[in-house]
DNA sequence: AACCAGGTCCGAT
DNA sequence: ATCGGACATGGT
């Protein structure tokens, strides 16, 4: 089934730029799990083509469309930063890199795990958690859904430690318990203000500024979130502040003034650029 | 063999 | 408010 896209889309950059960790290349397509269904997606003229199972494409199209943010007018972002020479290099190189709209819970767990780790290891841990605690997707051996907060809340911390999660094990157990206390889960924060949503996330044990901003940018539609990790810190410091040391607080302030509602997109391009090309 | 990785928490200034 | 050290583990 075909889905049109507003502007360019590059699945390799979108799904392989360190925002999502459960997609894999398979021939010329990308295969991943959204909710209870497995998707196979590839680029097609003016959009993407996809298959899904066990639910058929007619039933899952909206989920994929939303996930890939096909409605985003990405060209207006490119225009907005056209006068920024550093960012223009990245938008030129990674044209079609989109932010994904992930499930907030899965995104939260993923980035709690990400703390002081690396992409390869994060990918491994997310896969292990799905296999160990998720449900098998119907008629797809070895393919698992992502376990919900109720399931992870009942996993003893020592099991997470056995998986090699280290000190993050405690974070995971606590975060699951805390999310379980929310009457309507994390979804309502899509409608909340950036400030309110961030404050809520920061109240979770194991969630600081960086992880909170990742969840806000990659799952909660908070376009002014600007996650600052080691790579982005270096990029901003060297490319925009002449190498002078800058506090995270100042970077956040600067990012909002400089990029406004495009901050989340700008961050992902800067991150990818810095991580891939140094 | 030190050093680093999409950080956060906590106690001491 | 801000700063340093501790925290687990695996890869260069």
């Amino acid at each position: 089934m075909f889905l049109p896209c507003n502007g360019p889309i590059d699945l390799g950059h979108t799904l392989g730029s360190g925002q999502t960790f459960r997609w894999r290349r398979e021939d010329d397509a990308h295969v991943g799990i959204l909710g209870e269904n497995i998707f196979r997606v590839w680029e097609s003229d003016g959009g993407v083509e996809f298959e899904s199972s066990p639910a058929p494409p007619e039933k899952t199209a909206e989920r994929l469309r939303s996930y890939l943010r096909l409605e985003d007018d990405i060209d207006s972002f490119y225009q907005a930063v056209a006068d920024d020479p550093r960012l223009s290099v990245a938008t030129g190189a990674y044209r079609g890199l989109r932010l994904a709209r992930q499930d907030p819970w899965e995104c939260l767990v993923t980035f709690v795990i990400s703390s002081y780790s690396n992409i390869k290891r994060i990918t491994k841990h997310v896969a292990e958690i799905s296999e160990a605690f998720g449900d098998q997707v119907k008629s797809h051996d070895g393919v698992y859904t992502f376990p919900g907060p109720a399931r992870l809340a009942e996993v003893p911390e020592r099991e997470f430690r056995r998986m090699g999660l280290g000190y993050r094990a405690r974070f995971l157990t606590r975060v699951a318990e805390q999310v379980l206390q929310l009457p309507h889960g994390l979804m309502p924060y899509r409608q909340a203000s950036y400030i309110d949503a961030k404050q809520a996330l920061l109240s979770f044990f194991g969630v600081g500024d960086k992880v909170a901003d990742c969840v806000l940018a990659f799952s909660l539609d908070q376009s002014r979130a600007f996650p600052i990790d080691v790579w982005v810190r270096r990029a901003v410091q060297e490319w925009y502040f002449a190498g002078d040391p800058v506090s995270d607080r100042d970077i956040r302030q600067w990012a909002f003034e400089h990029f406004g509602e495009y901050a989340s997109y700008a961050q992902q391009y800067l991150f990818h650029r810095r991580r891939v090309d140094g």
Side-chain angles (χ1 to χ4, degrees), chain A residues 42 53 74 84 109 127 162 168 225 235 238 261 267 269 275:
Chain A
W42 60 98
S53 171
I74 202 169
D84 180 324
V109 171
R162 257 202 296 278
R168 304 167 194 82
E238 291 181 21
E261 295 299 318
Q267 185 276 162
Y269 276 81
R275 212 183 68 80

Side-chain angles (χ1 to χ4, degrees), chain A residues 102-109 149 175-176 178-192 197 200-204 207 215-216 219-222:
Chain A
Q102 303 181 235
D103 171 75
W105 163 248
E106 179 173 339
C107 189
L108 176 60
V109 171
V175 161
Q178 290 183 88
V179 170
L180 211 46
Q181 301 304 312
L182 300 174
H184 302 99
L186 296 163
M187 273 318 177
Y189 296 116
R190 277 196 183 152
Q191 328 303 334
L201 291 173
L202 288 176
S203 74
F204 300 145
V207 178
V215 176
L216 293 168
S219 75
L220 291 175
D221 289 349
Q222 298 291 347

Side-chain angles (χ1 to χ4, degrees), chain A residues 86 89-91 93-94 239 267-278:
Chain A
R86 317 316 291 262
V89 173
T91 56
Y94 313 127
W239 296 342
Q267 185 276 162
Q268 192 58 19
Y269 276 81
L270 291 174
F271 168 77
H272 197 47
R273 173 85 184 144
R274 185 70 195 196
R275 212 183 68 80
V276 174
D277 299 328

Side-chain angles (χ1 to χ4, degrees), chain A residues 34-36 39 59-68 103:
Chain A
L34 303 179
E36 315 288 310
F39 289 76
K59 301 272 194 190
T60 63
E62 173 52 26
R63 178 70 185 264
L64 182 65
R65 189 207 60 73
S66 170
Y67 183 86
L68 293 174
D103 171 75

